[in-house]
Amino acid sequence: MHSSTLRGQLALPELMKDLGQLTSHVRVPSFPTVLEDFLRQLCYFDTIIMVTYKKALKPLLIHPSDLSEQSNTLRMYLNQAYLLDPLFNSLQHGITPGVYRLVDMAPDSFEETEYYQTCYRDFDLVDEINILVDLDKTTTFAVSLGRQKAVGSIRRTELNNLKTVFPMIEALINQFWLAQSGGFVDRAPSSGPLKQALKTFAHGVLTTREQEILGLLLKGHSSKSIANELGISAGTVKVHRKNIHARLDTSTQSEIFTLFLSHLDALDREAH
C-alpha cells in the first residue's frame, strides 16, 4: 500500500484503491495483515492487536499470530488480566460499536491500579485507540492501536480518518469473520469459571458489598467514583476498604492484586 497523505487529509482515490485491496483479502488468511497495512494509512501506531471477546470466554488473539510478536505481558493480559481492563469492562456494559480512545473508557484511577502498574504499563503506551465491531450478540472484534510516548496522543485528524472509514471496516471485518472464523474458533480458549472470578474472589471472607467494592477498586475506580457508582458516601467506601484489608490480611493494593491472580490460577486449574 502507499505511503500517502492519508494520516492527514483523506485522499479519496488512494483510499478507494486501498479499500479495494483490503476487500479482495476478506476470504484469505492474510486479511488481518492487510487490515493492519490499511490502518497505517489512516493513523500512526506503534503496536496493534486484533482480539475477539466473547462474554464467557477468554479473549481470542487473531493478530499477530506469530508467537515471536506476542510478549509475556500480552499473554498475561489474554489469560488473566483482561478481566480488569477498561475495554473488556466497557464491552460487558454494552458499549456500542465504533472508535474509542482508552482514556474515554477508563475509570478515574485506572493509572493507579496494580493492573496498570504491573501489566498495562509494560506496553509503554501514551494512547490507545480501539475499533470495536460486533460480530454477533455475544462476540465483539476489537482492533487496539497503541501509541508510545515518543509519538504522543492521537491527533484529531487521525481519529476522524478512522471514524470516517469505520462503517467500511465494520462491514469487511464481519465478512472476514463469516468466511474465516472457523480457523480461529477451533483454537478458542475455554474459561467458563473466569466470568465468575470477581464474584468468587474472597467469597466467604468478604461481604457481598465488600466484594463489589473490591472489584471496582481492582478495575481502577477511586473511592469517590465507587461512592457515585454504588450510591453511598466516600467515607463509607473508605471504611469498607479498611475492612477489606483487615479481612484479607493485606496492606496494599499490590498484595490484593497478587491474591486475585492466584485466585484466577486456581480457577483455571479447576476448569482443566
Side-chain angles (χ1 to χ4, degrees):
M1 294 203 184
H2 329 280
S3 169
S4 70
T5 58
L6 282 171
R7 286 187 205 158
Q9 201 64 36
L10 281 171
L12 194 58
E14 290 184 3
L15 175 65
M16 297 311 290
K17 189 172 181 181
D18 289 344
L19 274 172
Q21 188 173 345
L22 181 60
T23 304
S24 70
H25 284 76
V26 158
R27 294 180 178 276
V28 292
S30 57
F31 176 81
T33 304
V34 181
L35 176 58
E36 175 180 344
D37 291 343
F38 174 70
L39 292 172
R40 286 193 186 281
Q41 310 305 316
L42 309 175
C43 167
Y44 179 86
F45 50 88
D46 296 290
T47 65
I48 180 170
I49 60 169
M50 299 181 197
V51 176
T52 60
Y53 294 89
K54 199 174 178 72
K55 281 199 173 3
L57 301 178
K58 287 182 182 178
L60 175 62
L61 184 66
I62 305 300
H63 178 76
S65 55
D66 186 341
L67 286 174
S68 68
E69 295 181 56
Q70 299 169 18
S71 65
N72 289 335
T73 305
L74 176 58
R75 281 193 280 274
M76 177 189 178
Y77 170 81
L78 294 168
N79 282 319
Q80 299 174 324
Y82 73 91
L83 282 167
L84 304 177
D85 184 48
L87 168 57
F88 175 76
N89 285 292
S90 294
L91 293 172
Q92 297 303 297
H93 287 97
I95 191 170
T96 55
V99 181
Y100 299 89
R101 293 176 66 207
L102 188 69
V103 70
D104 298 325
M105 294 190 263
D108 58 348
S109 291
F110 174 59
E111 293 189 6
E112 293 163 31
T113 62
E114 197 58 30
Y115 161 64
Y116 180 88
Q117 299 293 333
T118 61
C119 178
Y120 192 85
R121 193 167 65 175
D122 282 359
F123 294 124
D124 190 34
L125 303 180
V126 72
D127 204 353
E128 180 188 307
I129 304 93
N130 294 287
I131 302 166
L132 308 180
V133 173
D134 283 349
L135 300 173
D136 57 43
K137 287 181 181 176
T138 62
T139 313
T140 301
F141 191 104
V143 183
S144 295
L145 310 175
R147 289 164 72 106
Q148 293 174 339
K149 289 182 175 64
V151 186
S153 299
I154 187 168
R155 292 182 297 128
R156 187 187 298 274
T157 314
E158 294 173 294
L159 202 56
N160 287 342
N161 286 349
L162 293 173
K163 288 179 176 179
T164 297
V165 300
F166 174 75
M168 197 68 198
I169 292 173
E170 182 179 40
L172 290 173
I173 285 175
N174 267 290
Q175 290 304 310
F176 155 72
W177 196 248
L178 283 171
Q180 298 192 54
S181 60
F184 298 100
V185 173
D186 289 347
R187 55 184 173 83
S190 64
S191 74
L194 276 171
K195 189 171 67 165
Q196 299 299 319
L198 284 166
K199 288 182 183 175
T200 56
F201 181 44
H203 181 68
V205 179
L206 302 181
T207 66
T208 305
R209 178 45 62 99
E210 286 165 354
Q211 281 183 292
E212 202 173 9
I213 287 169
L214 181 55
L216 290 168
L217 278 172
L218 284 167
K219 291 174 188 174
H221 291 267
S222 66
S223 290
K224 185 181 176 185
S225 174
I226 292 170
N228 291 337
E229 188 96 0
L230 301 180
I232 57 180
S233 73
T236 301
V237 174
K238 284 173 185 171
V239 170
H240 280 305
R241 290 179 72 161
K242 192 175 176 183
N243 290 340
I244 288 167
H245 280 302
R247 292 180 197 270
L248 295 179
D249 193 25
T250 55
S251 55
T252 65
Q253 194 171 332
S254 175
E255 291 173 339
I256 292 176
F257 184 69
T258 302
L259 287 176
F260 181 63
L261 292 184
S262 299
H263 176 62
L264 291 179
D265 281 337
L267 286 178
D268 252 356
R269 285 194 296 275
E270 286 172 23
H272 299 102

